[in-house]
Amino acid sequence: QQPVQSPQAVILREGEDAVINCSSSKALYSVHWYRQKHGEAPVFLMILLKGGEQKGHEKISASFNEKKQQSSLYLTASQLSYSGTYFCGTDGQGAQKLVFGQGTRLTINP
Amino acid sequence: KAGVTQTPRYLIKTRGQQVTLSCSPISGHRSVSWYQQTPGQGLQFLFEYFSETQRNKGNFPGRFSGRQFSNSRSEMNVSTLELGDSALYLCASSLGQSALDTQYFGPGTRLTVL
């Protein structure tokens, strides 16, 4: 079942923070985050595993709440290069494939 | 290493026709997955192949089919095209068969059905 992402779209000014949420109705084993810039292929950002720690890279980090079956992606002090559509992909244990959400379009303005 | 390549990049077909899309994975990758991307729908999973075997299939009609060759290259075929099949078709390759393996996406094939 497709995870639900919120918000569907967000517009920020450079330097502002953003949070993108990903929720599933099913128990999750892992959550994957990808970013797709306009006209380009989706690119892997990070993976969070059940029982694992919060991941992060520079100013982009994510958390995984197993009990709530949701993950959140945090972008702090956003840069123009962060613009794009963010997808979460979820994996229920044993599913052996990712199911992606509908995406969140993030626009960063100067 | 070269990335995932997809051919053709753009395709225009008319209703009722059939189409074949091709995907060459990253060298050494044995898993190939196909996705349909349309505005507002995100990435809809079509199917996944590993070592020439279809391991998973999404909720698409039988008009959508695929196969994988011994060199891990994959093709997907859509028969009797409908207007609603217009979309960006992405393929992604990964090293193994685990859902935990990072997927590397190709640039996609933009299919327009008139």
Side-chain angles (χ1 to χ4, degrees):
Chain A
Q1 195 160 359
Q2 188 178 31
V4 177
Q5 291 184 232
S6 62
Q8 290 189 347
V10 59
I11 300 174
L12 299 174
R13 298 189 72 113
E14 197 173 8
E16 292 182 334
D17 300 339
V19 180
I20 299 171
N21 299 304
C22 173
S23 297
S24 174
S25 59
K26 291 189 171 184
L28 300 177
Y29 183 67
S30 67
V31 178
H32 307 229
W33 286 96
Y34 285 76
R35 176 173 64 203
Q36 183 180 32
K37 299 200 173 190
H38 183 69
E40 299 181 10
V43 174
F44 172 77
L45 290 176
M46 64 185 75
I47 178 175
L48 297 102
L49 303 178
K50 182 179 177 180
E53 298 178 354
Q54 179 167 334
K55 292 262 188 174
H57 176 66
E58 294 183 350
K59 295 178 181 177
I60 300 177
S61 62
S63 63
F64 180 15
N65 188 322
E66 300 158 30
K67 289 184 179 178
K68 292 186 178 180
Q69 295 157 196
Q70 68 182 38
S71 175
S72 295
L73 185 71
Y74 308 95
L75 301 98
T76 57
S78 57
Q79 305 169 15
L80 296 176
S81 61
Y82 289 179
S83 290
T85 301
Y86 289 78
F87 293 96
C88 70
T90 57
D91 154 44
Q93 192 166 7
Q96 294 185 314
K97 66 176 177 68
L98 288 184
V99 180
F100 285 94
Q102 80 280 19
T104 295
R105 176 173 288 184
L106 175 65
T107 303
I108 309 295
N109 292 321
Chain B
K1 275 187 181 178
V4 178
T5 58
Q6 292 186 245
T7 57
R9 293 293 310 277
Y10 302 91
L11 209 48
I12 299 176
K13 292 285 187 179
T14 55
R15 277 185 303 174
Q17 288 187 308
Q18 76 164 16
V19 66
T20 299
L21 312 181
S22 181
C23 171
S24 292
I26 291 173
S27 177
H29 285 195
R30 297 169 64 190
S31 173
V32 173
S33 298
W34 287 90
Y35 297 87
Q36 182 193 66
Q37 185 175 27
T38 54
Q41 290 298 313
L43 299 165
Q44 300 288 311
F45 174 77
L46 281 156
F47 27 66
E48 180 207 358
Y49 288 88
F50 180 82
S51 292
E52 302 180 65
T53 301
Q54 186 182 89
R55 294 193 323 128
N56 290 291
K57 191 176 190 306
N59 296 323
F60 279 81
R63 300 185 297 107
F64 292 82
S65 63
R67 59 178 176 170
Q68 186 180 34
F69 302 96
S70 58
N71 61 358
S72 294
R73 190 177 70 84
S74 177
E75 288 181 348
M76 68 163 279
N77 184 275
V78 187
S79 62
T80 319
L81 284 166
E82 301 177 359
L83 295 178
D85 296 334
S86 293
L88 179 67
Y89 290 87
L90 293 162
C91 95
S93 76
S94 59
L95 195 59
Q97 57 183 324
S98 169
L100 300 181
D101 290 331
T102 298
Q103 296 198 63
Y104 296 85
F105 285 84
T109 293
R110 173 77 61 185
L111 172 65
T112 302
V113 182
L114 303 175

